[in-house]
């Protein structure tokens, strides 16, 4: 009997009622499992996420959440062969599955590492402090706090693993739980991964729930603190985004819909250049990897009119080399589509396109397969089309055939190439192959408003570039207009989608206590013991050393010029100062900072291990010989560090605000220095 998939909800494994929908092996057509959500109350599922998962995650710090994500990635890596084995049933080759499975783990690792860009707190400050009153007693900043809801991820069928992991990594780092609803047809693979996640026991209760099967009605239950992400067809996406519940409760809704991505061959990239070869390779790859079922796949191949013949021939040769069939058979490069319905949809869309443009490679009904039965699996030949009039025959800019299908479109000028790209009305990605910076710049500026990502391919990055089709965790994924107007991943930007940005106004001392970041103008905490004599745990935000003072002399300026070899005229030549802002020979900014260190450093060996740089540094007022400077050194922020090895010294980073002022009391230089400070507790 066929196995019924588990729904992982409400802290339990639940199979839905009834027989469930049969899910088939894309290669053999045999049943793999059935899926049912009958009898499941989606309102309860979301509520469980909000009331159990959310409090569990929001009380963890960014660093704890990041370490949790890393532990999960490492655990899943040990199970990967199981996932590859089952992934075959989705029609994927080993290479396709690698993108889905290990690409997904890669996202977990990336977001786990991103914790280092956040403080070790449950929330964070975003951006700078803004003074809002003349007396310095009032100002503002922004804080980001995790929303109190749940992330509802409704995913497409093409990436059952990556589709889930690329999203949950982000919401977990932000501190909110997820309910994942993969597309039913390939949900058996998502379920296998979630079963392993469940067994690992790494996540806190309620952090992840999985729904296998229809989720019609789930949107009726979303609330204003939830975030919905949708990946799939524009039709379904628009329907769900327009749901009255989403509109009435202003529920954030991130839509990633189908997109008519393009790749442009630059006029300079003629046959024989590395750019031409790269272009052909990328187009072939995007047509055949995952059998073209990638949201980022190249649908429109935009080439100079005089090169159409050569591009067509080069692609024909490459596509002929692509063996289609059972991915388990040696030499097979392209597997099957995810299911019969998906193949039927592609065929229908190609037939609509064929009313306006001709098929120049491939056959919609016939396909030679290796090691499989073409009648049982959902196989389809790559289909290359040619459209001789991209401005008149516009179906190619409207209809997406979500399979191994692309169309060659000719252009006569770069302006035309930009205009043709724009006819897609918003894409996830466009690439251009050119080694000409002028062409690249003009194209990028013209096409960028219509694209979420642009890849410029040339001979210098050909071997190392990550590919037209690969969204990267630290860069934005999503596109404007037709592509849905969404934006996901993108490093910190992605995390912020699951957090509330709140402008926080108040007295700088109060804001410092709330944010755990010293805000300029906040009161100084003067203590009898110098900050360099204290361990990490003993330092308090706002703790300040007010130093003795030093009068700068002509000799200091001359000596520093000699030591540093910086003989810039303003430091050395009094006759050169006409029409400059300087009235006298000015001290080097770096000297002022070095002199400041001389004032604030407590020299004896102590808990400070090293100084490893400056975050910000500004020289705000010229310092001339005769000026007397003093320093206020204030603990601005503390970030505990993790031990990499068991016998590492336990330590943290302390950021100090260095405020150098002169005899008038005015600040002459301001910098943030970064020091590494030992912890008292060496456990
Ligand atoms: P789809 O039919 O729009 O389905 C997408 C998801 O929505 C599936 O999980 C589906 O579940 C679910 N769904 C449908 N109706 C729903 C409802 N009333 N309430 C809640 N969930 C509902 O798209 P698809 O056929 O799976 O995916 C192919 C399309 O996705 C292509 O057009 C492709 O371009 C696009 N895509 C875009 C991206 C991107 O990042 N922009 C990525 C991949 C794919 P069921 O499976 O249970 O129906």
């Amino acid at each position: 009997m066929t196995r019924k998939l588990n729904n992982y909800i409400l802290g339990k494994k639940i199979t839905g009622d009834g027989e469930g929908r049969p899910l088939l092996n894309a290669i053999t057509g045999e049943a793999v499992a059935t899926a049912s959500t009958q009898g499941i109350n989606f309102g309860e599922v979301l509520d469980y996420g909000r009331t159990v998962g959310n409090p569990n995650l929001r009380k963890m710090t960014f660093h704890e959440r990041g370490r949790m994500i890393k532990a999960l990635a490492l655990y899943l890596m040990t199970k990967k062969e199981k996932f590859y084995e089952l992934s075959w049933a989705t029609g994927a080759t080993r290479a396709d599955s690698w993108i889905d499975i290990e690409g997904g783990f890669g996202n977990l690792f990336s977001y786990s590492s991103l914790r280092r860009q956040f403080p070790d707190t449950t929330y964070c400050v975003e951006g700078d402090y803004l003074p809002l009153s003349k007396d310095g007693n009032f100002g503002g900043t922004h804080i980001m706090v995790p929303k109190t809801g749940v992330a509802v991820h409704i995913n497409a069928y093409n990436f059952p693993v990556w589709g889930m992991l690329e999203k949950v990594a982000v919401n977990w780092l932000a501190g909110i739980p997820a309910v994942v609803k993969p597309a039913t047809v390939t949900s058996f693979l998502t379920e296998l991964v979630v079963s392993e996640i469940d067994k690992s026991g790494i996540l806190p209760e309620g952090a992840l729930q999985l729904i296998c099967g229809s989720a019609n009605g789930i949107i009726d239950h979303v609330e204003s603190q939830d975030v919905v992400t949708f990946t799939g067809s524009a039709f379904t996406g628009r329907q769900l985004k327009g749901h009255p519940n989403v509109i009435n409760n202003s529920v954030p809704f991130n839509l990633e819909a189908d997109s008519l991505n393009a790749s442009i061959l630059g006029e300079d990239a003629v046959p024989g250049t590395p750019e031409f070869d790269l272009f052909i390779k990328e187009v072939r790859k995007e047509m055949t990897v995952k059998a073209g079922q990638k949201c980022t796949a190249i649908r429109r191949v935009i080439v100079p009119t005089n090169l159409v013949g050569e591009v067509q021939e080069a692609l024909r040769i490459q596509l002929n080399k692509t063996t289609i069939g059972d991915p388990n058979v040696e030499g097979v490069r392209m597997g099957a589509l995810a299911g019969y319905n998906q193949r039927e949809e592609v065929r229908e869309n190609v037939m609509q396109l064929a009313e306006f443009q001709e098929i120049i490679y491939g056959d919609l009904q016939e396909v030679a397969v290796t090691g499989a039965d073409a009648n049982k699996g959902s196989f389809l030949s790559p289909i290359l089309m040619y459209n001789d009039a991209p401005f008149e025959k516009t179906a190619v800019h409207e209809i997406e055939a979500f399979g191994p299908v692309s169309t060659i479109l000719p252009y006569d000028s770069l302006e035309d190439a930009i205009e043709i790209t724009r006819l897609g009305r918003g894409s996830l990605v466009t690439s251009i192959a050119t080694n000409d910076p002028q062409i690249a710049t003009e194209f990028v500026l013209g096409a960028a408003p219509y694209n979420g990502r642009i890849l410029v391919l040339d001979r210098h990055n050909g071997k190392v570039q990550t590919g037209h089709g690969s969204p990267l965790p630290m860069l934005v994924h999503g596109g404007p207009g037709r592509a849905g107007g969404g934006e996901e991943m993108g490093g910190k930007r992605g995390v912020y989608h699951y957090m509330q940005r709140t402008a926080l106004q108040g007295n700088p001392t109060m804001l410092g206590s709330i944010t755990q970041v010293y805000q300029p103008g906040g009161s100084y905490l003067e203590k009898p013991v110098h900050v360099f004599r204290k361990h990490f745990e003993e330092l308090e935000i706002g703790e300040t050393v007010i130093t003795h003072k030093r009068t700068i002399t002509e000799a200091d300026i001359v000596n520093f010029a000699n030591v540093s070899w910086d003989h810039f005229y303003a430091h050395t030549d009094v006759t050169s100062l006409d029409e400059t802002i300087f009235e006298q020979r000015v001290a080097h900014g770096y000297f002022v900072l070095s002199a400041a260190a001389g004032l604030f450093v407590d020299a004896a060996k102590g808990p400070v291990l090293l100084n490893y740089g400056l975050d910000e540094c500004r020289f705000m007022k010229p310092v001339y010989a005769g000026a007397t400077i003093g320093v206020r050194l204030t603990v601005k922020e503390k970030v505990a560090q993790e031990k990499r090895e068991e016998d590492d010294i336990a330590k943290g980073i302390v950021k100090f605000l260095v405020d150098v002022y002169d005899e008038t009391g005015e600040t002459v230089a301001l910098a943030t220095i970064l020091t590494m400070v030992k912890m008292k507790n060496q456990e």
Side-chain angles (χ1 to χ4, degrees):
M1 213 181 83
T2 318
R3 193 174 83 81
K4 202 186 255 184
L5 298 182
N6 283 312
N7 295 282
Y8 285 81
I9 52 170
L10 310 170
K12 294 178 278 210
K13 285 189 259 186
I14 295 173
T15 53
D17 300 339
E19 277 184 15
R21 179 175 149 190
L23 313 182
L24 306 184
N25 181 316
I27 306 290
T28 63
E30 288 161 9
V32 179
T34 63
S36 165
T37 53
Q38 260 183 50
I40 291 176
N41 180 332
F42 295 129
E44 275 176 24
V45 172
L46 300 193
D47 223 38
Y48 180 79
R50 288 179 205 118
T51 55
V52 178
N54 190 294
N56 281 339
L57 283 164
R58 68 186 300 111
K59 71 178 178 216
M60 295 168 75
T61 66
F62 286 105
H63 290 210
E64 288 166 342
R65 294 174 204 144
R67 286 194 291 271
M68 170 192 87
I69 295 169
K70 184 175 174 186
L72 187 65
L74 290 169
Y75 175 86
L76 290 177
M77 278 294 271
T78 66
K79 308 287 170 195
K80 70 176 182 182
E81 286 309 321
K82 271 189 178 184
F83 307 145
Y84 275 107
E85 214 176 290
L86 188 60
S87 179
W88 164 78
T90 69
T93 63
R94 176 99 190 173
D96 296 342
S97 302
W98 183 87
I99 305 173
D100 189 28
I101 296 167
E102 295 192 55
F105 301 166
N107 265 64
L108 292 179
F109 281 121
S110 276
Y111 273 87
S112 141
S113 298
L114 194 67
R115 71 187 183 279
R116 299 202 176 89
Q117 292 184 30
F118 288 97
D120 194 17
T121 48
T122 57
Y123 58 95
C124 63
V125 177
E126 189 215 32
D128 292 332
Y129 173 80
L130 205 68
L132 294 171
S133 74
K134 278 209 171 114
D135 69 357
N137 280 324
F138 186 60
T141 188
H142 290 91
I143 54 165
M144 306 291 306
V145 289
K147 288 179 183 285
T148 60
V150 61
V152 180
H153 301 308
I154 301 172
N155 292 339
Y157 61 80
N158 53 345
F159 287 110
V161 184
W162 180 86
M164 167 172 69
L165 297 182
E166 59 116 358
K167 289 184 174 129
V168 291
V170 190
N171 63 251
W172 286 335
L173 191 62
I176 90 165
V179 172
V180 174
K181 188 278 179 257
T184 306
V185 62
T186 52
S187 58
F188 52 86
L189 180 54
T190 320
E191 190 236 25
L192 179 65
V193 177
V194 171
S195 76
E196 289 298 337
I197 294 177
D198 187 51
K199 277 186 218 155
S200 79
I202 290 169
L203 299 181
E205 202 181 327
L208 175 65
Q209 295 183 85
L210 176 76
I211 293 171
C212 294
S214 167
N216 284 8
I218 197 165
I219 298 296
D220 296 340
H221 303 279
V222 293
E223 294 177 359
S224 62
Q225 286 288 316
D226 300 335
V227 177
V228 181
T229 74
F230 173 87
T231 305
S233 63
F235 178 79
T236 316
R238 277 196 295 265
Q239 237 182 8
L240 299 182
K241 192 176 177 179
H243 190 292
N245 195 27
V246 171
I247 294 168
N248 294 341
N249 292 304
S250 307
V251 180
F253 193 106
N254 192 70
L255 174 56
E256 298 283 342
D258 51 43
S259 134
L260 290 153
N261 313 297
S263 190
I264 287 81
L265 182 68
E267 281 171 304
D268 60 312
V270 294
T273 61
E275 287 74 24
F276 183 86
D277 296 341
L278 267 170
F279 177 80
I280 297 296
K281 199 169 151 196
E282 280 299 310
V283 174
R284 182 197 57 99
K285 196 165 86 184
E286 289 301 311
M287 286 183 75
T288 57
V289 168
K290 290 285 299 180
Q293 301 165 110
K294 270 167 69 187
C295 53
T296 47
I298 298 166
R299 304 289 172 210
R300 299 176 300 150
V301 182
I302 304 174
V303 305
T305 304
N306 62 334
L307 298 180
V308 166
E310 272 133 314
V311 168
Q312 184 179 331
E313 181 55 14
L315 283 174
R316 189 187 63 76
I317 293 169
Q318 288 302 318
L319 291 171
N320 275 346
K321 289 187 194 160
T322 307
T323 311
I324 302 164
D326 180 345
N328 279 343
V329 174
E330 185 71 28
V332 167
R333 291 290 184 82
M334 181 171 134
L337 302 193
Y340 298 138
N341 290 346
Q342 284 69 25
R343 182 176 59 182
E344 227 17 71
E345 226 172 277
V346 175
R347 282 180 175 151
E348 276 166 27
N349 286 331
V350 171
M351 283 187 302
Q352 280 184 42
L353 286 168
E355 287 176 29
F356 310 95
Q357 52 192 45
E358 57 176 318
I359 295 178
I360 55 174
Y361 182 94
D363 189 303
L364 264 191
Q365 303 303 330
E366 293 295 318
V367 54
V369 300
T370 302
D373 184 340
N375 296 317
K376 290 192 176 151
S378 318
F379 297 100
L380 187 69
S381 147
I383 304 281
L384 187 62
M385 307 183 91
Y386 176 62
N387 177 325
D388 61 0
F391 289 105
E392 286 88 50
K393 300 174 180 174
T394 55
V396 67
H397 311 298
E398 304 283 339
I399 299 168
E400 184 207 32
F402 199 63
V405 183
S406 297
T407 303
I408 297 177
L409 307 158
Y411 74 84
D412 292 326
S413 65
L414 191 56
E415 296 86 77
D416 278 2
I418 293 169
E419 210 37 59
I420 295 169
T421 307
R422 289 175 166 195
L423 287 174
R425 291 182 293 117
S427 300
L428 290 172
V429 52
T430 289
S431 52
I432 178 166
T434 178
N435 195 34
D436 182 333
Q438 220 171 326
I439 292 181
T441 309
E442 195 177 326
F443 180 79
V444 166
L445 297 182
Y450 291 76
N451 278 281
R453 178 164 65 90
I454 295 180
L455 165 68
V456 183
L457 285 168
D458 66 30
R459 62 196 66 187
H460 307 291
N461 62 29
K463 287 210 174 79
V464 292
Q465 55 95 15
T466 45
H468 169 103
S470 305
L472 297 178
M474 293 304 129
L475 295 175
V476 160
H477 174 52
R482 178 187 171 124
E487 190 185 285
E488 62 190 45
M489 300 199 292
K492 274 183 145 180
R493 294 176 194 89
V495 178
Y496 290 159
H497 291 315
Y498 300 97
M499 305 186 85
Q500 175 62 39
R501 177 181 292 106
T502 304
L504 189 65
Q505 296 165 284
N507 175 289
T509 307
M510 179 64 89
L511 297 191
S513 313
I514 297 170
T515 59
Q516 284 302 293
V517 178
Y518 174 80
Q519 306 292 355
S523 48
Y524 300 120
L525 276 175
E526 282 190 78
K527 298 280 175 95
V529 180
H530 190 281
V531 289
F532 276 27
R533 309 246 54 83
K534 293 190 174 180
H535 287 90
F536 183 83
E537 303 92 322
E538 296 165 325
L539 290 164
E540 283 180 62
I541 302 295
E543 198 169 335
T544 301
V545 169
I546 299 184
T547 70
H548 59 288
K549 294 185 183 161
R550 166 179 180 167
T551 301
I552 306 299
T553 65
E554 284 277 346
D556 288 333
I557 301 173
V558 173
N559 286 340
F560 192 80
N562 287 335
V563 167
S564 65
W565 287 15
D566 176 350
H567 292 108
F568 185 65
Y569 68 87
H571 309 309
T572 51
D573 176 2
V574 269
T575 67
S576 69
L577 303 178
D578 286 353
E579 295 173 22
T580 73
I581 63 153
F582 302 115
E583 292 156 10
Q584 304 172 40
R585 230 149 55 138
V586 66
H588 303 66
Y590 302 121
F591 169 65
V592 174
L593 209 57
S594 308
L599 292 170
F600 69 67
V601 162
D602 182 296
K605 188 170 178 182
V608 177
L609 297 169
L610 54 93
N611 165 8
Y612 78 98
L614 293 172
D615 251 5
E616 296 126 19
C617 177
R618 290 280 178 284
F619 304 124
M620 300 156 91
K621 185 182 169 189
V623 174
Y624 303 121
T628 299
I629 59 166
V631 183
R632 286 179 285 259
L633 178 76
T634 305
V635 178
K636 183 176 171 186
E637 204 179 334
K638 291 166 58 182
V639 186
Q641 282 202 317
E642 293 157 28
K643 284 186 176 186
R644 284 183 196 268
E645 307 283 339
E646 204 36 54
D647 51 1
D648 278 356
I649 299 173
K651 58 191 182 312
I653 302 302
V654 180
K655 298 185 184 181
F656 285 101
L657 184 68
V658 178
D659 179 358
V660 189
Y661 57 97
D662 65 11
E663 66 285 356
T664 67
E666 274 182 80
T667 295
V668 296
L670 206 55
T672 300
I673 60 160
L674 311 171
T675 58
M676 201 176 270
V677 180
K678 231 164 134 174
M679 289 187 179
K680 196 165 194 173
N681 179 4
Q682 282 299 318
E683 285 299 295

